[in-house]
Amino acid sequence: MPKKVFVMGSTGSIGVNTLNVIRELRDEFVLVGLSANKNIELLEKQIKEFNVPVAVVADYFNAEKLKEKLKNKADCEILSGAEGLLTAARESDYDILVTAVVGFAGLASTLEAIKRQKRIALANKETLVVAGSIVNELAEKYGSEIIPVDSEHSAIFQSLVGEEKEEIEKILLTASGGPFRTWNAEDLQSATVEQALAHPNWDMGSKITIDSATMMNKGLEVIEAHWLFGLPSEKIEVLVHPQSIIHSMVEFKDGSIKAQLSLPDMKLPIQYALTYPRRLKSDFVQTRFPKIKELTFFEPDFQKFECLKLAYDAIESGGTAPCILNAANEIAVQKFLEGKIKLTDIPKIISKALDDIEISQDLNLEEIFDCDKRTRNFVATLFN
Ligand code: MG
């Protein structure tokens, strides 16, 4: 029997790649649900190609538009909004939930899937960043598997197969360094949106590409790794590796280091999250070392990339600090994309939010939603 897969965030970069993987492995997987934020044209195509029984659209009016387009296709139920996403997570028939929703919107539905003991192929960083302790507690209680899709975390996960957590010395989380790796701090002040969106190795959505330019993406990944692998921040080291061939490494107590390597292609970690513990034949990636020629490494510049430092600090502060960091960053990135602030204002805004908003150590879902909202409102007031 093929495994039933629900893809939340199917029109984004991870979502589209997930569908590419499923298209190649039709005997193994069947798509049973999709969700999209705004791109209903692509969603409509995906619904028709894979004949899915349920789809969720973030916006009610777009959902109505899509229903109209699909009126001759009564076998696909269209839901809308956060409530629709929750209903789908709670009631749809699936084995694996791929959560590739951008930002904070993926949390509640992921928790529902965990409670139903489904496998989570986790591509949404924010879920663990803001609610890591809650996710872990639930996953343990219900015995559901969380398999990372993020290339670095997939690499660490793969390096840890057959190993004991107690024997880890540290994780080496690799980072491309983004488009501004070789820029000096002064020039960074005048970086344009266009320059920030030109990522050297990965083709991704705009939010995550800006996060790569500020290295907040790596900061969020450090927090994600902290929760996924249950390690303190001092055991998670960021290593700049511009070629993005080594996707991350684990150093063990005996000095041995395991890594996972390949040319950068998101289809590989996505497929692994779906097929784990198996590896299936794929046509996707062919890594030829003579063509790559060299692999280089640098220490990250915490002064130039303040966001990375802020993320480490947020782990130490604990409680809702990562939630504040994440929400302030989301709004700041949006303002940068709108041309309202400089790239270097992003860490300033996050810093201000972390200083001014009270951090609660009593972490529950209500507190997190409240903190998220409070932070967004606070950051908005900085622009009046
Ligand atoms: Mg990554």
Side-chain angles (χ1 to χ4, degrees):
M1 275 289 276
K3 289 248 164 64
K4 293 174 237 149
V5 183
F6 199 121
V7 181
M8 291 193 174
S10 66
T11 57
S13 159
I14 298 282
V16 166
N17 272 318
T18 305
L19 267 52
N20 290 339
V21 169
I22 292 175
R23 197 179 285 117
E24 298 287 322
L25 297 173
R26 289 213 189 235
D27 296 342
E28 300 282 335
F29 301 104
V30 54
L31 209 51
V32 294
L34 297 167
S35 93
N37 186 20
K38 289 199 187 86
N39 192 348
I40 55 169
E41 285 73 27
L42 179 55
L43 182 62
E44 182 191 357
K45 272 191 208 145
Q46 294 176 336
I47 291 171
K48 286 179 175 162
E49 181 190 346
F50 290 92
N51 217 1
V52 295
V54 60
V56 189
V57 184
D59 176 277
Y60 169 78
F61 295 100
N62 276 334
E64 290 302 304
K65 245 189 256 170
L66 184 62
K67 272 185 200 167
E68 184 59 30
K69 284 168 182 266
L70 292 168
K71 66 172 181 266
N72 297 326
K73 202 176 172 326
D75 53 354
C76 180
E77 186 187 2
I78 308 292
L79 305 170
S80 69
E83 207 43 54
L85 213 53
L86 257 185
T87 305
R90 217 176 260 155
E91 293 169 14
S92 291
D93 180 21
Y94 58 91
D95 304 302
I96 304 173
L97 177 69
V98 180
T99 59
V101 175
V102 176
F104 189 65
L107 176 60
S109 46
T110 307
L111 295 179
E112 284 306 316
I114 292 174
K115 287 184 198 159
R116 293 181 65 195
Q117 299 172 303
K118 306 300 182 188
R119 171 178 292 192
I120 314 291
L122 189 71
N124 172 276
K125 290 190 176 72
E126 289 79 358
T127 299
L128 281 176
V129 168
V130 305
S133 61
I134 298 173
V135 170
N136 277 354
E137 218 171 276
L138 274 185
E140 194 170 325
K141 180 171 170 193
Y142 292 96
S144 71
E145 295 172 300
I146 298 178
I147 318 284
V149 168
D150 213 346
S151 59
E152 295 79 358
H153 304 78
S154 176
I156 296 162
F157 186 89
Q158 294 182 51
S159 300
L160 286 174
V161 169
E163 304 288 352
E164 296 296 329
K165 190 184 134 190
E166 293 68 34
E167 290 166 4
I168 301 172
E169 182 63 28
K170 67 180 173 198
I171 279 173
L172 294 155
L173 197 70
T174 52
S176 71
F180 303 126
R181 182 176 63 83
T182 55
W183 287 38
N184 65 43
E186 204 177 310
D187 291 343
L188 205 59
Q189 306 235 12
S190 56
T192 65
V193 171
E194 210 182 11
Q195 287 165 330
L197 282 176
H199 194 277
N201 302 345
W202 295 101
D203 182 16
M204 308 175 288
S206 58
K207 156 76 168 61
I208 185 169
T209 305
I210 300 303
D211 282 347
S212 290
T214 62
M215 286 195 81
M216 179 53 98
N217 182 51
K218 210 48 56 180
L220 296 174
E221 287 181 358
V222 170
I223 304 175
E224 194 184 359
H226 162 69
W227 291 114
L228 260 177
F229 306 110
L231 294 171
S233 57
E234 62 268 20
K235 289 201 169 200
I236 306 168
E237 200 173 291
V238 171
L239 181 66
V240 177
H241 165 46
Q243 294 83 11
S244 298
I245 300 293
I246 299 181
H247 298 308
S248 275
M249 308 186 249
V250 181
E251 184 178 331
F252 296 93
K253 292 227 154 113
D254 61 358
S256 199
I257 296 172
K258 281 169 83 176
Q260 184 259 338
L261 296 80
S262 75
L263 285 178
D265 186 338
M266 279 312 294
K267 290 192 237 46
L268 200 157
I270 292 168
Q271 174 169 317
Y272 188 76
L274 296 177
T275 63
Y276 167 82
R278 293 187 304 156
R279 291 187 185 273
L280 298 183
K281 175 99 187 107
S282 116
D283 301 332
F284 299 136
V285 203
Q286 288 199 324
T287 307
R288 297 291 173 259
F289 285 101
K291 280 195 184 158
I292 295 162
K293 292 194 178 76
E294 64 170 6
L295 303 176
T296 55
F297 307 94
F298 306 90
E299 274 177 358
D301 184 339
F302 284 91
Q303 250 147 20
K304 192 165 80 178
F305 296 108
E306 291 167 76
C307 286
L308 191 53
K309 168 90 172 55
L310 289 171
Y312 271 99
D313 291 347
I315 298 180
E316 292 316 304
S317 304
T320 51
C323 177
I324 297 170
L325 173 100
N326 176 65
N329 179 57
E330 267 187 41
I331 304 292
V333 168
Q334 198 184 314
K335 296 286 178 191
F336 172 70
L337 285 169
E338 289 166 6
K340 298 209 170 101
I341 58 168
K342 291 190 287 190
L343 189 80
T344 45
D345 289 332
I346 294 174
K348 288 183 195 150
I349 289 170
I350 300 165
S351 243
K352 176 94 181 123
L354 281 165
D355 285 345
D356 288 20
I357 299 170
E358 200 185 330
I359 294 164
S360 163
Q361 292 297 336
D362 176 28
L363 212 57
N364 56 58
L365 209 51
E366 207 173 300
E367 181 61 42
I368 288 171
F369 278 101
D370 189 52
C371 172
D372 179 75
K373 204 182 280 174
R374 226 179 316 136
T375 306
R376 284 164 203 269
N377 290 340
F378 171 83
V379 174
T381 63
L382 300 177
F383 292 90
N384 282 342

